[in-house]
Amino acid sequence: MKNIFKMLPILFLVIMTSCKKDKDNSTIAASELSTYQLAVTLKKQTGTDLRLFYFTQNGNEITATLEGLNIKKTQTVIIKNDSFTFDELGDGNITYKVSFAKDVNGNLSFKNVSVTNKADITMSIDGSYISKLSDIKGDFDIYGYTYENMNGPYGLTFIKNTNNWRWGISANNGTYTKISRGAWKGMLDGKAYFALTIEEHYKGIMRPFLLIKGEDANFYKFGLV
């Protein structure tokens, strides 16, 4: 009996420590993500890859959708300590962890973004972008945007009031389907392409860029003219 009483403080400490570990100190609700879009560029052994996260409200739940060139996966968002994790393949092999911060005006930013790939430990986040949907230049079909290639010749143009795009490397028009604000998947000359829009500082100003991952395994960056 004496030994039991001696153990009580230790048991109490273990219980309290466990409760502290499980405590959720989030200041951000999952619903706040519904007005944002996230993008990451990935550094892999085979080159640069591209992922998009966007969010939709389903009843009381927020669903995150991850898109890549040949990938689409959905998952319910669970925020814990201002972070959420996303399992790309649903088998635990490739997982992303995104942590957020919020300023006094309620605007979200990244605190940290990481990826773990059990099959390729060299995979890492090369760039991460968080954008308000209202700030994304996504009306390709309405305004017929033109972009310059940031890494070579041959710009890219969207043909107004159509779902066609033209790239200087081909004499043919490509087609595309919007998947989210400023993001699309399309075809040109029988090859698939996946694109999304970000903004970043360029020569002292914030400039919209179109990032494209091609079926040819290449990664392209275009700046809005």
Side-chain angles (χ1 to χ4, degrees):
M1 185 66 71
K2 288 182 178 179
N3 289 336
I4 293 175
F5 283 116
K6 288 180 179 179
M7 291 292 292
L8 285 176
I10 298 174
L11 291 172
F12 180 75
L13 181 61
V14 170
I15 292 170
M16 291 301 293
T17 302
S18 177
C19 288
K20 286 181 180 179
K21 287 182 179 179
D22 294 336
K23 187 177 180 181
D24 181 10
N25 295 310
S26 291
T27 61
I28 295 166
S31 58
E32 294 180 71
L33 296 177
S34 62
T35 58
Y36 287 84
Q37 194 161 272
L38 319 179
V40 296
T41 53
L42 300 168
K43 189 175 290 185
K44 302 167 64 175
Q45 291 179 348
T46 54
T48 301
D49 211 343
L50 192 59
R51 295 290 185 272
L52 172 73
F53 297 86
Y54 55 92
F55 305 91
T56 52
Q57 181 104 31
N58 294 297
N60 294 323
E61 293 185 337
I62 298 294
T63 299
T65 300
L66 176 147
E67 298 249 18
L69 180 62
N70 297 306
I71 295 171
K72 183 176 182 179
K73 179 77 166 59
T74 61
Q75 179 182 300
T76 300
V77 176
I78 298 174
I79 298 287
K80 186 170 183 179
N81 295 322
D82 291 339
S83 303
F84 87 95
T85 58
F86 195 103
D87 187 342
E88 180 170 294
L89 302 175
D91 57 7
N93 282 318
I94 303 176
T95 56
Y96 301 85
K97 183 173 182 180
V98 183
S99 299
F100 299 96
K102 182 162 61 173
D103 67 19
V104 294
N105 296 314
N107 298 312
L108 302 185
S109 60
F110 288 138
K111 186 180 292 182
N112 188 60
V113 184
S114 62
V115 62
T116 301
N117 185 337
K118 293 180 180 178
D120 179 8
I121 60 173
T122 66
M123 180 189 281
S124 62
I125 301 292
D126 191 35
S128 57
Y129 311 88
I130 180 168
S131 306
K132 285 187 175 181
L133 293 175
S134 57
D135 293 337
I136 297 173
K137 301 289 186 183
D139 296 319
F140 315 114
D141 48 347
I142 298 173
Y143 296 111
Y145 293 150
T146 294
Y147 295 80
E148 64 172 323
N149 191 335
M150 305 306 293
N151 303 112
Y154 307 117
L156 184 154
T157 300
F158 290 87
I159 302 173
K160 192 174 180 179
N161 298 321
T162 72
N163 68 333
N164 297 126
W165 57 295
R166 183 177 294 121
W167 190 0
I169 62 173
S170 174
N172 301 314
N173 290 341
T175 59
Y176 71 92
T177 301
K178 288 183 177 181
I179 57 174
S180 186
R181 180 74 179 165
W184 52 270
K185 289 184 176 181
M187 299 290 294
L188 176 64
D189 292 337
K191 294 180 180 178
Y193 292 89
F194 164 55
L196 58 84
T197 302
I198 63 162
E199 275 196 343
E200 62 182 3
H201 285 283
Y202 179 79
K203 295 184 178 180
I205 63 171
M206 290 297 290
R207 184 181 183 185
F209 291 94
L210 191 67
L211 307 182
I212 299 181
K213 179 66 178 180
E215 190 178 339
D216 55 7
N218 289 328
F219 176 79
Y220 305 92
K221 184 175 184 178
F222 294 85
L224 181 64
V225 175

mmCIF file of all heavy atoms in Angstrom, residues 91-119:
data_model
loop_
_atom_site.group_PDB
_atom_site.id
_atom_site.type_symbol
_atom_site.label_atom_id
_atom_site.label_comp_id
_atom_site.label_asym_id
_atom_site.label_seq_id
_atom_site.Cartn_x
_atom_site.Cartn_y
_atom_site.Cartn_z
ATOM 1 N N ASP A 91 -0.868 6.142 -48.354
ATOM 2 C CA ASP A 91 -0.196 4.975 -47.768
ATOM 3 C C ASP A 91 0.933 5.358 -46.816
ATOM 4 O O ASP A 91 1.679 4.491 -46.349
ATOM 5 C CB ASP A 91 0.357 4.071 -48.877
ATOM 6 C CG ASP A 91 1.330 4.809 -49.808
ATOM 7 O OD1 ASP A 91 1.683 5.977 -49.517
ATOM 8 O OD2 ASP A 91 1.733 4.219 -50.830
ATOM 9 N N GLY A 92 1.068 6.650 -46.529
ATOM 10 C CA GLY A 92 2.089 7.101 -45.594
ATOM 11 C C GLY A 92 3.476 7.248 -46.174
ATOM 12 O O GLY A 92 4.413 7.618 -45.457
ATOM 13 N N ASN A 93 3.649 7.018 -47.468
ATOM 14 C CA ASN A 93 4.994 7.083 -48.060
ATOM 15 C C ASN A 93 5.439 8.508 -48.386
ATOM 16 O O ASN A 93 6.616 8.831 -48.276
ATOM 17 C CB ASN A 93 5.052 6.218 -49.328
ATOM 18 C CG ASN A 93 5.171 4.750 -49.008
ATOM 19 O OD1 ASN A 93 5.914 4.364 -48.111
ATOM 20 N ND2 ASN A 93 4.412 3.923 -49.715
ATOM 21 N N ILE A 94 4.502 9.358 -48.814
ATOM 22 C CA ILE A 94 4.833 10.748 -49.103
ATOM 23 C C ILE A 94 3.866 11.621 -48.308
ATOM 24 O O ILE A 94 2.658 11.623 -48.576
ATOM 25 C CB ILE A 94 4.726 11.091 -50.594
ATOM 26 C CG1 ILE A 94 5.628 10.179 -51.428
ATOM 27 C CG2 ILE A 94 5.086 12.562 -50.838
ATOM 28 C CD1 ILE A 94 5.504 10.394 -52.926
ATOM 29 N N THR A 95 4.378 12.360 -47.342
ATOM 30 C CA THR A 95 3.519 13.193 -46.502
ATOM 31 C C THR A 95 4.053 14.620 -46.442
ATOM 32 O O THR A 95 5.260 14.846 -46.428
ATOM 33 C CB THR A 95 3.415 12.637 -45.072
ATOM 34 O OG1 THR A 95 4.726 12.502 -44.519
ATOM 35 C CG2 THR A 95 2.717 11.287 -45.069
ATOM 36 N N TYR A 96 3.125 15.558 -46.416
ATOM 37 C CA TYR A 96 3.448 16.970 -46.291
ATOM 38 C C TYR A 96 2.945 17.463 -44.936
ATOM 39 O O TYR A 96 1.879 17.045 -44.476
ATOM 40 C CB TYR A 96 2.748 17.789 -47.383
ATOM 41 C CG TYR A 96 3.103 17.375 -48.778
ATOM 42 C CD1 TYR A 96 2.423 16.319 -49.400
ATOM 43 C CD2 TYR A 96 4.101 18.024 -49.498
ATOM 44 C CE1 TYR A 96 2.746 15.919 -50.683
ATOM 45 C CE2 TYR A 96 4.424 17.635 -50.794
ATOM 46 C CZ TYR A 96 3.740 16.578 -51.376
ATOM 47 O OH TYR A 96 4.053 16.185 -52.655
ATOM 48 N N LYS A 97 3.700 18.353 -44.316
ATOM 49 C CA LYS A 97 3.241 19.016 -43.106
ATOM 50 C C LYS A 97 3.348 20.516 -43.332
ATOM 51 O O LYS A 97 4.409 21.027 -43.679
ATOM 52 C CB LYS A 97 4.053 18.620 -41.879
ATOM 53 C CG LYS A 97 3.519 19.259 -40.600
ATOM 54 C CD LYS A 97 4.208 18.759 -39.348
ATOM 55 C CE LYS A 97 3.595 19.388 -38.100
ATOM 56 N NZ LYS A 97 4.251 18.920 -36.853
ATOM 57 N N VAL A 98 2.214 21.198 -43.145
ATOM 58 C CA VAL A 98 2.147 22.638 -43.375
ATOM 59 C C VAL A 98 1.752 23.312 -42.067
ATOM 60 O O VAL A 98 0.725 22.978 -41.472
ATOM 61 C CB VAL A 98 1.122 22.984 -44.471
ATOM 62 C CG1 VAL A 98 1.124 24.481 -44.747
ATOM 63 C CG2 VAL A 98 1.408 22.201 -45.745
ATOM 64 N N SER A 99 2.577 24.262 -41.626
ATOM 65 C CA SER A 99 2.299 25.023 -40.406
ATOM 66 C C SER A 99 2.056 26.479 -40.775
ATOM 67 O O SER A 99 2.767 27.044 -41.616
ATOM 68 C CB SER A 99 3.477 24.929 -39.430
ATOM 69 O OG SER A 99 3.705 23.584 -39.057
ATOM 70 N N PHE A 100 1.050 27.082 -40.125
ATOM 71 C CA PHE A 100 0.623 28.441 -40.477
ATOM 72 C C PHE A 100 0.856 29.423 -39.338
ATOM 73 O O PHE A 100 0.905 29.051 -38.164
ATOM 74 C CB PHE A 100 -0.866 28.449 -40.826
ATOM 75 C CG PHE A 100 -1.238 27.590 -41.986
ATOM 76 C CD1 PHE A 100 -1.704 26.292 -41.790
ATOM 77 C CD2 PHE A 100 -1.120 28.058 -43.283
ATOM 78 C CE1 PHE A 100 -2.050 25.486 -42.851
ATOM 79 C CE2 PHE A 100 -1.465 27.260 -44.366
ATOM 80 C CZ PHE A 100 -1.931 25.965 -44.147
ATOM 81 N N ALA A 101 0.962 30.690 -39.713
ATOM 82 C CA ALA A 101 0.953 31.805 -38.771
ATOM 83 C C ALA A 101 -0.143 32.759 -39.224
ATOM 84 O O ALA A 101 -0.531 32.771 -40.396
ATOM 85 C CB ALA A 101 2.305 32.507 -38.750
ATOM 86 N N LYS A 102 -0.646 33.566 -38.298
ATOM 87 C CA LYS A 102 -1.704 34.529 -38.629
ATOM 88 C C LYS A 102 -1.348 35.890 -38.049
ATOM 89 O O LYS A 102 -0.979 35.988 -36.877
ATOM 90 C CB LYS A 102 -3.042 34.035 -38.094
ATOM 91 C CG LYS A 102 -4.212 34.949 -38.433
ATOM 92 C CD LYS A 102 -5.569 34.252 -38.292
ATOM 93 C CE LYS A 102 -5.859 33.767 -36.908
ATOM 94 N NZ LYS A 102 -7.239 33.245 -36.782
ATOM 95 N N ASP A 103 -1.455 36.934 -38.879
ATOM 96 C CA ASP A 103 -1.111 38.262 -38.399
ATOM 97 C C ASP A 103 -2.317 38.933 -37.727
ATOM 98 O O ASP A 103 -3.410 38.338 -37.635
ATOM 99 C CB ASP A 103 -0.534 39.132 -39.523
ATOM 100 C CG ASP A 103 -1.549 39.466 -40.611
ATOM 101 O OD1 ASP A 103 -2.766 39.346 -40.366
ATOM 102 O OD2 ASP A 103 -1.129 39.869 -41.711
ATOM 103 N N VAL A 104 -2.138 40.170 -37.291
ATOM 104 C CA VAL A 104 -3.193 40.864 -36.544
ATOM 105 C C VAL A 104 -4.423 41.145 -37.407
ATOM 106 O O VAL A 104 -5.515 41.386 -36.880
ATOM 107 C CB VAL A 104 -2.658 42.180 -35.944
ATOM 108 C CG1 VAL A 104 -1.613 41.898 -34.889
ATOM 109 C CG2 VAL A 104 -2.101 43.091 -37.047
ATOM 110 N N ASN A 105 -4.254 41.119 -38.729
ATOM 111 C CA ASN A 105 -5.373 41.348 -39.633
ATOM 112 C C ASN A 105 -6.059 40.054 -40.063
ATOM 113 O O ASN A 105 -6.976 40.076 -40.887
ATOM 114 C CB ASN A 105 -4.897 42.109 -40.875
ATOM 115 C CG ASN A 105 -4.380 43.491 -40.538
ATOM 116 O OD1 ASN A 105 -5.017 44.221 -39.776
ATOM 117 N ND2 ASN A 105 -3.219 43.855 -41.088
ATOM 118 N N GLY A 106 -5.571 38.936 -39.522
ATOM 119 C CA GLY A 106 -6.176 37.644 -39.846
ATOM 120 C C GLY A 106 -5.638 36.996 -41.101
ATOM 121 O O GLY A 106 -6.166 35.971 -41.550
ATOM 122 N N ASN A 107 -4.580 37.554 -41.702
ATOM 123 C CA ASN A 107 -3.991 36.977 -42.911
ATOM 124 C C ASN A 107 -3.067 35.811 -42.564
ATOM 125 O O ASN A 107 -2.275 35.901 -41.620
ATOM 126 C CB ASN A 107 -3.200 38.039 -43.679
ATOM 127 C CG ASN A 107 -4.082 39.175 -44.144
ATOM 128 O OD1 ASN A 107 -5.143 38.965 -44.719
ATOM 129 N ND2 ASN A 107 -3.652 40.404 -43.892
ATOM 130 N N LEU A 108 -3.165 34.746 -43.333
ATOM 131 C CA LEU A 108 -2.350 33.561 -43.092
ATOM 132 C C LEU A 108 -1.048 33.609 -43.878
ATOM 133 O O LEU A 108 -0.984 34.137 -44.985
ATOM 134 C CB LEU A 108 -3.121 32.295 -43.479
ATOM 135 C CG LEU A 108 -4.454 32.041 -42.780
ATOM 136 C CD1 LEU A 108 -5.007 30.673 -43.194
ATOM 137 C CD2 LEU A 108 -4.313 32.121 -41.273
ATOM 138 N N SER A 109 -0.018 33.028 -43.299
ATOM 139 C CA SER A 109 1.268 32.849 -43.975
ATOM 140 C C SER A 109 1.832 31.503 -43.535
ATOM 141 O O SER A 109 1.320 30.866 -42.608
ATOM 142 C CB SER A 109 2.245 33.979 -43.631
ATOM 143 O OG SER A 109 2.486 34.016 -42.232
ATOM 144 N N PHE A 110 2.888 31.068 -44.199
ATOM 145 C CA PHE A 110 3.540 29.823 -43.815
ATOM 146 C C PHE A 110 4.490 30.057 -42.652
ATOM 147 O O PHE A 110 5.280 31.000 -42.661
ATOM 148 C CB PHE A 110 4.354 29.241 -44.967
ATOM 149 C CG PHE A 110 3.528 28.654 -46.076
ATOM 150 C CD1 PHE A 110 3.876 28.876 -47.398
ATOM 151 C CD2 PHE A 110 2.425 27.861 -45.806
ATOM 152 C CE1 PHE A 110 3.143 28.329 -48.426
ATOM 153 C CE2 PHE A 110 1.682 27.307 -46.825
ATOM 154 C CZ PHE A 110 2.039 27.547 -48.154
ATOM 155 N N LYS A 111 4.426 29.182 -41.682
ATOM 156 C CA LYS A 111 5.456 29.131 -40.657
ATOM 157 C C LYS A 111 6.511 28.112 -41.057
ATOM 158 O O LYS A 111 7.709 28.333 -40.896
ATOM 159 C CB LYS A 111 4.844 28.749 -39.307
ATOM 160 C CG LYS A 111 5.819 28.809 -38.135
ATOM 161 C CD LYS A 111 5.148 28.417 -36.822
ATOM 162 C CE LYS A 111 4.131 29.442 -36.394
ATOM 163 N NZ LYS A 111 3.511 29.088 -35.077
ATOM 164 N N ASN A 112 6.043 26.996 -41.639
ATOM 165 C CA ASN A 112 6.960 25.957 -42.103
ATOM 166 C C ASN A 112 6.216 25.029 -43.054
ATOM 167 O O ASN A 112 5.028 24.776 -42.888
ATOM 168 C CB ASN A 112 7.514 25.146 -40.936
ATOM 169 C CG ASN A 112 8.607 24.182 -41.376
ATOM 170 O OD1 ASN A 112 9.639 24.592 -41.903
ATOM 171 N ND2 ASN A 112 8.376 22.896 -41.187
ATOM 172 N N VAL A 113 6.930 24.552 -44.070
ATOM 173 C CA VAL A 113 6.382 23.561 -45.001
ATOM 174 C C VAL A 113 7.448 22.490 -45.211
ATOM 175 O O VAL A 113 8.599 22.802 -45.528
ATOM 176 C CB VAL A 113 6.019 24.186 -46.367
ATOM 177 C CG1 VAL A 113 5.378 23.135 -47.261
ATOM 178 C CG2 VAL A 113 5.093 25.377 -46.196
ATOM 179 N N SER A 114 7.071 21.230 -45.030
ATOM 180 C CA SER A 114 8.046 20.144 -45.184
ATOM 181 C C SER A 114 7.403 18.951 -45.879
ATOM 182 O O SER A 114 6.177 18.813 -45.910
ATOM 183 C CB SER A 114 8.596 19.709 -43.817
ATOM 184 O OG SER A 114 7.559 19.207 -42.995
ATOM 185 N N VAL A 115 8.244 18.112 -46.459
ATOM 186 C CA VAL A 115 7.774 16.889 -47.103
ATOM 187 C C VAL A 115 8.681 15.742 -46.688
ATOM 188 O O VAL A 115 9.893 15.926 -46.515
ATOM 189 C CB VAL A 115 7.753 17.024 -48.645
ATOM 190 C CG1 VAL A 115 9.163 17.271 -49.195
ATOM 191 C CG2 VAL A 115 7.136 15.797 -49.304
ATOM 192 N N THR A 116 8.090 14.570 -46.512
ATOM 193 C CA THR A 116 8.845 13.352 -46.218
ATOM 194 C C THR A 116 8.475 12.300 -47.250
ATOM 195 O O THR A 116 7.300 12.010 -47.453
ATOM 196 C CB THR A 116 8.512 12.818 -44.810
ATOM 197 O OG1 THR A 116 8.828 13.818 -43.842
ATOM 198 C CG2 THR A 116 9.325 11.558 -44.511
ATOM 199 N N ASN A 117 9.498 11.763 -47.921
ATOM 200 C CA ASN A 117 9.295 10.718 -48.912
ATOM 201 C C ASN A 117 10.143 9.512 -48.509
ATOM 202 O O ASN A 117 11.371 9.557 -48.567
ATOM 203 C CB ASN A 117 9.708 11.222 -50.302
ATOM 204 C CG ASN A 117 9.400 10.215 -51.405
ATOM 205 O OD1 ASN A 117 9.288 9.022 -51.160
ATOM 206 N ND2 ASN A 117 9.259 10.707 -52.621
ATOM 207 N N LYS A 118 9.486 8.440 -48.086
ATOM 208 C CA LYS A 118 10.215 7.267 -47.602
ATOM 209 C C LYS A 118 11.022 6.577 -48.695
ATOM 210 O O LYS A 118 12.040 5.947 -48.417
ATOM 211 C CB LYS A 118 9.234 6.277 -46.966
ATOM 212 C CG LYS A 118 8.591 6.782 -45.689
ATOM 213 C CD LYS A 118 7.639 5.759 -45.106
ATOM 214 C CE LYS A 118 6.995 6.266 -43.816
ATOM 215 N NZ LYS A 118 6.037 5.292 -43.259
ATOM 216 N N ALA A 119 10.574 6.734 -49.942
ATOM 217 C CA ALA A 119 11.268 6.087 -51.055
ATOM 218 C C ALA A 119 12.381 6.952 -51.634
ATOM 219 O O ALA A 119 13.253 6.449 -52.338
ATOM 220 C CB ALA A 119 10.270 5.725 -52.154
#
